[in-house]
Amino acid sequence: CLLINAPTSDYSAEEADTVINYLDNGGNAIIIAGYTDESMENFSRILAAYGMELADGIVMESSSNYYQYPMYIIPNIENTEITSDLAEENANILIPQALGIVSTGSDDVTLTELLSSSSGAYAKRVVDGTISTYEKEDGDIDGPFAYAYLAEKETAESNDENDESDEESGEKSTGGRVILISAASLLDETINSTFPQISNLDFYMNCVAELCGDGDSENI
């Protein structure tokens, strides 16, 4: 399993192609994205290959989904195989300065939302390193967004000319699996030690277990 942990400078085109090729041949990756003012064209190509892109700006949440400040986000935990234990116990995750993830609608990629925003969330662009106000303004990007997605790609296998095509037979082979998390703060040591009741690390270990283990985070 490949871990890409909040890069602050871009990949080269060759590096991005290497990652995409690894994934398309059945690889697994956990990708954590954090805010940077650097151009990230090739990193974005990796996400686009799995049906996702990042909204331009830092997300502000509605009142029921943040702690003290609108950018201190408490996301909704969706009830999935990866997150069911956290959803059932009404756990809380805290992710300051999160980015919004948007589906690009790729036909060969299935997206499963793991963490989501409220319907009232919006993303504010950073200008000269600052955000002038938390209030919603003209030009802000409307949500809702995902904060974490599981992306699974299906790739048609090649067959002999006399065989049925995979599309006709309904048989497909599995390409890569990617979990994209849009907040570098998920693993921030200060946040996790200051708020020991939050489940950031539990969520992360569930993701690791899903892609890198046997599905049981207790064994990792």
Side-chain angles (χ1 to χ4, degrees), residues 1 15 17 26 56 102 114 116 142 154 159-160 172 190 194:
C1 183
E15 288 168 336
D17 289 341
D56 180 16
V102 179
L114 306 178
S116 63
D142 290 327
E154 290 182 340
N159 291 313
D160 294 333
K172 298 207 170 188
T190 302
T194 303

Side-chain angles (χ1 to χ4, degrees), residues 15 44 88 93 124 144 153 159 164 166 172 188 211:
E15 288 168 336
S44 296
E88 288 167 6
I93 290 171
K124 298 189 72 70
K153 181 178 280 191
N159 291 313
E164 277 189 307
D166 282 309
K172 298 207 170 188
D188 187 289
L211 295 189

